[in-house]
Amino acid sequence: MGNYTEWVLFNLFVVVMLAFDLYWSRGKVYGFKSSIIWTIIWTFMALLVNLWFFIEDGSLLQGNERGLTFLTAYVAERALSFDNLFVFIIIFQFFKIPPKLQPTALTYGIVGALIARAVFIALGAAILSIFSWIMLIMGLFLVYTGIKLALVNDEDVDPEKNILLKFSKKVLNFSDEFKGSKFYFREKNVLYFTPLFLVVAVLGSTDVVFAVDSIPTVFGITKDTFIIWSSNMMAVVGMRPLYFLIQEMQNQFRYLKYGLSLILVFIGFKMSIEYLGERIGPLINSEYITHFHINTYVSLGTIVGIITFSILLSNLIKEKNDTEDIK
C-alpha cells in the first residue's frame, strides 16, 4: 500500500471516530460499566489498526516489524495517557467543575491533546531530519523526566501554579459561577469569563506539557512518522471513557506513576545508547556497538511488563488508610 494512501485512509478513519466520539457522545457521563465497555471498544479499534499493519505486507504470521512497532508505540502512548487523565481529574476537582460539564471540558481537553501531538510530531520529524543529534537530547530528557515523575507527589500538582491561569486572572474579568457551557457572558456592559474558560485554558497548557513528554517517547521507539502519528491518535481518541473509568478506579492505579517513570527512563536510555553506538562504534571499529539495537520484542515486553507489574502492585498493596481502618 502506498504511503500516501495509508495516510489518507487512516486520517479518514480517525475523522469518523472523532465525529462519533466528540459529537454523538457529547455531554455523556459514562457510568462504571459503560466506561469499561467503551474503553474495550476503543482499544479494539486500535487493535484493528494494528491488524492493518500486520497484514499490509501479507506477513500476519511472520512477526511483521511494523505491526510490532505500532503495538509497542500504542501501548506506551496509552500508558502515558493515564497520567494525562489523572491530571485532568485534579484540574476538574480544583475548579469544582459540575459533573454535567465534565464531558464538555473533556472534549476540549482531548481535542487539545490531538492538536498538541500533531504539532510536536511535525516539529520532531522536521528537526530530526536535519539534526540527528537531537535524539541524544531527547533520550536524556526522557531519563530526566522519568526520574522527576517518580519523585513528584500527586499533591504537588497544583493548577493554581499554572502560568496561563495566573496570566488570565490578571488581564481578564472572571465570574465565580458556571454559566452552562458558556465561556463568557456580558453583565452591565462588562465582559466576564466563566470558570469553564479557565478549565479549558489550563487543560490546553497541560496538553502541551504532556505532548513534550509523549512525542520524544514514541520517537524513541520508531522513526516511522506514520506509526508515530497513528499510535498517538489511537491512544488519544479513546481517552473519554478511560477518564471516567480511571475516576472510578484511581486506587487500582496508585503505583502506575512509577511504572510510567520507568518506561520513560528505559526508552530514554534506549535512544541515548543507540545514538551513541552509531557514533562511537565506527571510531573504535566495533560492528557490535555500531549496530547495537534493543529490538521491538524486548521494548514491547519491557513496557507491558512494567505496566502490568505496577498495576498488580497497586492492587496487592493496601493503602495506609485501609490498613489503619482494619486495626
Side-chain angles (χ1 to χ4, degrees), residues 245-270:
L245 180 61
I246 291 175
Q247 197 175 40
E248 294 287 338
M249 301 178 62
Q250 290 186 58
N251 288 339
Q252 276 67 43
F253 302 105
R254 289 199 323 275
Y255 294 110
L256 182 60
K257 177 182 73 172
Y258 300 103
L260 297 179
S261 71
L262 278 176
I263 290 171
L264 291 175
V265 170
F266 167 71
I267 295 177
F269 174 79
K270 174 181 180 293

Side-chain angles (χ1 to χ4, degrees), residues 20-123:
F20 176 82
D21 184 44
L22 300 182
Y23 292 98
W24 180 84
S25 59
R26 62 181 173 177
K28 178 180 176 60
V29 177
Y30 288 88
F32 180 66
K33 186 176 180 179
S34 60
S35 64
I36 292 177
I37 293 171
W38 280 104
T39 295
I40 292 172
I41 290 173
W42 289 120
T43 302
F44 176 74
M45 300 301 283
L47 293 177
L48 283 180
V49 175
N50 197 188
L51 181 63
W52 175 21
F53 280 106
F54 273 111
I55 66 177
E56 64 176 347
D57 295 322
S59 52
L60 179 60
L61 302 177
Q62 298 175 14
N64 183 295
E65 182 67 22
R66 290 193 88 205
L68 286 171
T69 302
F70 173 87
L71 183 59
T72 305
Y74 170 74
V75 170
E77 292 301 313
R78 188 70 160 167
L80 289 172
S81 72
F82 274 67
D83 206 32
N84 205 155
L85 291 172
F86 278 125
V87 174
F88 279 14
I89 291 172
I90 293 172
I91 291 171
F92 289 172
Q93 291 174 345
F94 174 82
F95 286 102
K96 297 181 174 61
I97 182 169
K100 65 180 181 179
L101 288 180
Q102 288 186 16
T104 301
L106 194 57
T107 296
Y108 288 104
I110 292 171
V111 171
L114 287 167
I115 294 172
R117 280 161 172 75
V119 171
F120 278 92
I121 288 171
L123 287 175

Side-chain angles (χ1 to χ4, degrees), residues 154-155 249-255 313-327:
D154 292 337
E155 292 79 11
M249 301 178 62
Q250 290 186 58
N251 288 339
Q252 276 67 43
F253 302 105
R254 289 199 323 275
Y255 294 110
L313 208 60
S314 301
N315 287 273
L316 291 174
I317 299 178
K318 293 184 178 180
E319 286 188 281
K320 291 182 179 179
N321 291 338
D322 294 340
T323 307
E324 291 172 1
D325 291 340
I326 294 173
K327 291 180 181 180

Side-chain angles (χ1 to χ4, degrees), residues 126-189:
I127 292 172
L128 285 175
S129 66
I130 302 172
F131 307 109
S132 61
W133 52 266
I134 293 294
M135 287 298 295
L136 178 60
I137 304 300
M138 284 184 175
L140 295 175
F141 173 75
L142 287 179
V143 172
Y144 164 77
T145 304
I147 295 172
K148 184 180 178 182
L149 176 63
L151 298 177
V152 173
N153 295 320
D154 292 337
E155 292 79 11
D156 295 332
V157 180
D158 185 4
E160 190 70 51
K161 298 177 182 178
N162 185 278
I163 295 175
L164 191 58
L165 175 61
K166 291 180 179 179
F167 177 76
S168 298
K169 283 187 172 181
K170 285 183 179 180
V171 300
L172 300 172
N173 298 313
F174 282 96
S175 165
D176 292 330
E177 297 181 4
F178 287 91
K179 297 285 185 179
S181 59
K182 293 181 179 180
F183 287 150
Y184 61 89
F185 64 94
R186 287 188 178 276
E187 188 174 286
K188 296 180 180 179
N189 292 324

Side-chain angles (χ1 to χ4, degrees), residues 65-66 68-69 72 135 218-224 266-267 269-278 286-300 302:
E65 182 67 22
R66 290 193 88 205
L68 286 171
T69 302
T72 305
M135 287 298 295
V218 74
F219 269 105
I221 295 170
T222 179
K223 308 299 181 296
D224 188 322
F266 167 71
I267 295 177
F269 174 79
K270 174 181 180 293
M271 291 173 72
S272 303
I273 291 299
E274 290 178 357
Y275 174 83
L276 290 173
E278 291 176 1
S286 172
E287 283 293 319
Y288 174 76
I289 294 177
T290 301
H291 299 291
F292 176 79
H293 174 70
I294 298 176
N295 68 46
T296 309
Y297 289 100
V298 174
S299 296
L300 177 60
T302 301

Side-chain angles (χ1 to χ4, degrees), residues 295-312:
N295 68 46
T296 309
Y297 289 100
V298 174
S299 296
L300 177 60
T302 301
I303 293 170
V304 171
I306 290 173
I307 294 170
T308 303
F309 180 74
S310 60
I311 293 176
L312 285 174

